[in-house]
Amino acid sequence: MTRPADRVGPLWILALTLGVVAVFASWFGPLQILLPVQADRIGGPGGREALLGLVVGVGAAVALVANPVWGLISDRCRAGLGTRMPVVYVGTAIGVTGQVVLLTADSGPATVAGWVLVQLGFNGPFAVLAALMADRVPEQQRGVVGSLFGVGQIVGVISGVVVAESVGGGATGYLVLAVLTPALLSAIVVAGRAAPVVAPAHAVAGGGTGVEVGGGTGTDAIARPGVVLADFRPTRQYVWAWLLRFLMNLTNAILLVYLFFFLDSVVGAPDPGNSVLMVTVITLVLSAVCAATAGAFSDRLHRRREFAAAGALITAGGLLGLASSTTLPSVLAAAAVLGVGWGLFIAVDMAIITGSLATSGTAGTLLGVANIATSLPQVVAPAIAVPLVTSAAGYPALYWVGAGIAVAAALCTLPLRGVR
């Protein structure tokens, strides 16, 4: 039996983080700038909200299926080839194709088709990146690596928005992302081949063998010879961790999807795109700082759920502040509070999810199902938002609802006593 690695190296962690940056830049540059601008151009003032909701909702519905399917495929690839990387190659090719379609889209159906391909494609590498953390990272490093996984998401969101805003929200943003995304994702392929790392202790403890994954060669590290149906059964802790992730991402989707229109219609920002960038940078820079700090502390204290609960409650406070905001300075103040809350949550999110898995042999599949909790909110958020923002209650009601959802997320941490 191959001995499990005590720690993963800094270059591999950097490569993993760059891969996350790539995927999130390709998702959130369009979500926050490019798609709203496109929807405004195609649908006009009377139809832009409905068109954006359709595009985002259909794309997220595809992601609901794509992520666990890619995870299952990556588990099969790992079992047969000793590597999950074929999923990265194929998924990236599909995603880049979608970006090219969006580059030339001038109608609602073309925009929907392009975004579907982006969601379908890039959920492949994202499923692999999550599974690699379960494959390789030992428990004593999961707070740090998981927080950097979250920081990568933050940097990706900022990078995507900066790219989109720097080209004035135009179609050129899709072209830049189509070049940037595969370039950054190549880092995890190179790092995996250059410095293969064997599976962490929890994988071997189940009775499997060590495995070099991520681009090297080796044998599969599943808990028992041959994955059986019982391996796919979620633990009670996994269910609560999934619900926590879903509710927190729903609050985030409620904030982000209609932020452009909120700043335009309610705040009256003269340049909504630039204001989105300001809100995004403030929120996510604070998130990154909090996540990096809290992740290290969670490893040291051997505590995860307390950080998640605090993050959820602070997020609720930020959304309440946003509900009462009518000026840009008050929006930026609420964004700062939201940044702290989100940072505390993402510092421990991946550690909580991976710590709730019963076996590593189905990690790709179960983490793919866990990633539904990230994509499903993009379907649910428009269904909640459109009736509220088009009614007399407007955006304040939307953010009040978001605050209530964040409080519910905090309550989900109470049963997570077994996750450290």
Side-chain angles (χ1 to χ4, degrees):
M1 178 184 298
T2 307
R3 290 182 58 83
D6 293 329
R7 301 181 69 82
V8 289
L11 290 179
W12 186 87
I13 296 173
L14 175 62
L16 182 77
T17 305
L18 288 176
V20 177
V21 169
V23 172
F24 273 71
S26 288
W27 279 339
F28 282 90
L31 274 173
Q32 291 196 256
I33 301 288
L34 299 177
L35 287 175
V37 169
Q38 213 161 3
D40 186 48
R41 176 172 54 83
I42 295 171
R48 61 185 187 177
E49 286 91 353
L51 177 57
L52 181 62
L54 176 65
V55 173
V56 172
V58 172
V62 171
L64 293 181
V65 179
N67 203 287
V69 170
W70 281 123
L72 178 61
I73 293 171
S74 77
D75 281 340
R76 298 303 109 207
C77 288
R78 180 175 177 244
L81 303 174
T83 175
R84 300 182 188 272
M85 289 302 114
V87 170
V88 176
Y89 306 144
V90 175
T92 301
I94 295 171
V96 170
T97 300
Q99 290 168 331
V100 173
V101 171
L102 287 168
L103 174 66
T104 59
D106 58 1
S107 67
T111 305
V112 171
W115 189 240
V116 163
L117 288 174
V118 168
Q119 287 281 32
L120 173 64
F122 291 128
N123 268 284
F126 186 58
V128 170
L129 293 168
L132 288 177
M133 182 171 166
D135 288 344
R136 294 191 172 204
V137 182
E139 193 279 334
Q140 64 267 25
Q141 271 188 291
R142 285 188 181 172
V144 170
V145 179
S147 66
L148 291 176
F149 196 99
V151 169
Q153 297 176 31
I154 292 169
V155 174
V157 173
I158 294 176
S159 300
V161 173
V162 167
V163 166
E165 178 62 17
S166 66
V167 297
T172 307
Y174 292 119
L175 180 61
V176 176
L177 291 173
V179 175
L180 178 68
T181 308
L184 292 179
L185 280 168
S186 66
I188 192 63
V189 179
V190 174
R193 287 175 175 168
V197 181
V198 296
H202 78 280
V204 178
T209 57
V211 57
E212 296 178 352
V213 291
T217 59
T219 57
D220 188 33
I222 43 184
R224 291 183 297 277
V227 175
V228 297
L229 185 60
D231 292 323
F232 294 95
R233 186 179 302 151
T235 65
R236 179 175 176 272
Q237 301 293 327
Y238 175 90
V239 172
W240 283 109
W242 189 99
L243 187 58
L244 168 65
R245 174 181 280 191
F246 168 75
L247 292 175
M248 285 300 292
N249 277 279
L250 181 56
T251 66
N252 196 44
I254 284 173
L255 168 67
L256 293 178
V257 172
Y258 288 98
L259 180 60
F260 184 96
F261 297 147
F262 168 69
L263 291 168
D264 184 27
S265 303
V266 177
V267 179
D271 185 350
N274 185 62
S275 297
V276 167
L277 179 58
M278 292 173 62
V279 171
T280 301
V281 169
I282 288 174
T283 303
L284 297 185
V285 166
L286 283 171
S287 294
V289 172
C290 289
T293 304
F297 272 108
S298 76
D299 278 343
R300 189 172 303 171
L301 299 174
H302 304 288
R303 292 287 187 271
R304 312 291 189 199
R305 68 192 186 104
E306 291 84 355
F307 287 92
L313 292 175
I314 293 171
T315 296
L319 286 165
L320 291 177
L322 200 62
S324 61
S325 297
T326 55
T327 64
L328 187 57
S330 61
V331 170
L332 297 180
V337 176
L338 288 164
V340 173
W342 186 250
L344 290 175
F345 166 68
I346 64 171
V348 294
D349 173 49
M350 281 298 295
I352 288 174
I353 286 288
T354 55
S356 69
L357 299 177
T359 171
S360 71
T362 56
T365 306
L366 289 176
L367 287 170
V369 173
N371 286 333
I372 290 177
T374 302
S375 53
L376 180 59
Q378 296 175 36
V379 178
V380 177
I384 295 173
V386 171
L388 289 174
V389 301
T390 57
S391 71
Y395 283 93
L398 175 64
Y399 296 134
W400 272 94
V401 169
I405 293 170
V407 171
L411 295 176
C412 289
T413 65
L414 295 177
L416 289 174
R417 291 182 176 85
V419 177
R420 297 295 187 184

